[in-house]
Each structure stands twice: as structure tokens, then as C-alpha cells.
Amino acid sequence: MAKRADKQMMEKDRRKEAFDTFYRSIWQERYDALREALLKEASPSEFRGNLEKSYYLDRASVLVASLLPLAEGDNVLDMCAAPGGKSLVLLSRAEGKITLTANDRSPDRKLRLDTVLREHTPSSWQQNIRTTCRDASLWGLHEKDAYDAILLDAPCSSERHVLQSEKHMAMWSPSRPKRLAIEQYALLASAFMAVRPGGFILYSTCSVNIAEDEGVIAKLLKRRGDEAEIIPTELEMSEEREYGRMIMPDTADGMGPLYACLIRKRNE
């Protein structure tokens, strides 16, 4: 038993070392300060807006969700919406005067999303809200040019969570971010098909892996650059990246990490 425990401990140490090596190669001398900030528990902020009751989430999420342009009557899609905080921000900003489809591919997470939206939004808004449980990477095949605005908060490496969870660290490997980047591009390509010409996509992740952030945007521009336009944005306590902006916990009082890039689909 002792040998088994020693082997498990060695494996944990090996994964942590591999994780640190991987991210130090990205952030260089900044990594130690970034790692220290990621290890600290985030402090959720109260968001009330025009909701029935307050919802608590990272303030960075409120700031980022506020970047998506909205107009009264817009048809809006939140592709990976659970648990629902950013959907609430969108609805509150528009005072419920948008049609919102909030999707999550996980049945369990979709149930939580249903509860959050039902409990926090006025009943008068709820007729304009639908929730779905679909594979969003296929969305654009079925609803082409259908939405005025799309929020894609893509599944990502979520390094803050990995660093704080032995369970998730045990599942981490250098190949995981590569797989996620492929999935993220599939989601973004689907969103690009689903948004109407002249409409907007807000792409975001909570990853500090550049390949999952600017790398995904670069791939879209390489393949659809004649149709896609990056829209400059102002984002409180953020830093400019090659494409988009990023809120980093080591420089933003513990907020984030959260990457955001606003894309407009050019009119045909």
C-alpha cells in the first residue's frame, strides 16, 4: 500500500510539474505571479440589474458579457450558457426586450440553467427565453444566418479550477488544451454560420492558454477572414492581446482570467 501511495504521489507531482512547465513556456517570467493569483479563491460579486433577485459571479464575467452589442428585438443565442450568469447579464442589459436562446449540451447543466433563469428573471421576460440542450458545434448547420448576436463562452482549460482541484489536475495533460482548441474552433465556426451578416459574436474563455484564445480567432481569420472583422473594444482592467482583450487575475485584483474578442460578420 505504501508503494502504491508513493507512486500516486509521484504521479501527482509529475503532472503539476508538467502543468507548470507548459504554462511557464507561455507566460515566461510572469508565470509565478499569475500562478499565485490563480491559486487564490475568486470573490464573486453581486449582480442585480433588473433581475428578480441578485446573482453572484465574477465581476469579469459581467464586464465581458457587456461587450456584446444588443438592440431591442434582437434574436440572441448564448451557445454554452450554463450556469446562466452571462445570460442574466444579457437579459438585464436589454431589460428583457430580446429573444434569448440559452443552450448547454449537458442535461444536468441545462437543468441548472433552467433554474437560474426561472428564479432570477421577471415572469414578463420568460416568454422570450428558451433553453435547449444541443451540441452547439452543429448549430450553424440548422440555423444559418439566424441570430443578431451570439455569445460563445467556450469550454476551456479553466486553469484556475485545475490548480485548485487535485481531481482535475489528475486529469490534465498537455494534449488537453490542444483538443479543447479544436473543439473551440468548431464552436466558433458554427457560431459564424448561425449569425446573420452584420451581426456580432462575442468569443470568450476563462483560459490563459493563448492557443485557446487568440489562436482560435486567428484560425477563423485565416479561413474566413474576408467575412470576419475584429471589433476593437474597451474593457475595464484588461490588457490588449493580438486579437481581443484579457482580464488577468495578477493585474486585475483577482478577477478572471477571462479572454474576450468581439467579431462582426461582414454584410454580404
Side-chain angles (χ1 to χ4, degrees), residues 157-230:
S157 286
S158 188
E159 293 87 1
R160 186 167 211 161
H161 190 53
V162 172
L163 277 169
Q164 295 179 10
S165 166
E166 287 194 4
K167 175 185 174 182
H168 288 88
M169 179 62 79
M171 296 187 292
W172 185 88
S173 73
S175 63
R176 187 169 184 267
K178 295 178 182 178
R179 293 196 302 271
L180 282 166
I182 292 170
E183 178 184 354
Q184 290 154 355
Y185 178 73
L187 288 166
L188 182 56
S190 177
F192 200 77
M193 292 175 65
V195 75
R196 66 167 179 79
F200 295 90
I201 301 168
L202 181 62
Y203 175 81
S204 71
T205 82
C206 60
S207 175
V208 296
N209 180 12
I210 293 171
E212 298 180 45
D213 299 332
E214 300 106 293
V216 175
I217 303 300
K219 191 172 182 179
L220 178 72
L221 294 176
K222 182 177 180 180
R223 298 188 178 187
R224 308 291 294 270
D226 56 335
E227 303 170 69
E229 177 185 6
I230 304 301

Side-chain angles (χ1 to χ4, degrees), residues 67-78 90-91 93-102 125 127-130 145-151 194-201 262:
L67 295 177
L68 185 64
L70 297 175
E72 184 175 338
D74 274 356
N75 190 20
V76 181
L77 171 63
D78 189 347
L90 298 180
L91 288 163
R93 285 177 51 214
E95 298 182 345
K97 296 175 182 177
I98 56 173
T99 299
L100 178 71
T101 299
W125 297 6
Q127 63 183 354
N128 294 324
I129 302 170
R130 68 164 175 157
D145 298 342
Y147 294 90
D148 300 290
I150 297 177
L151 172 60
V195 75
R196 66 167 179 79
F200 295 90
I201 301 168
L262 183 61

Side-chain angles (χ1 to χ4, degrees), residues 51-62:
L51 304 178
E52 289 292 279
K53 65 178 183 178
S54 297
Y55 187 85
Y56 291 84
L57 72 171
D58 189 337
R59 183 165 172 263
S61 295
V62 179

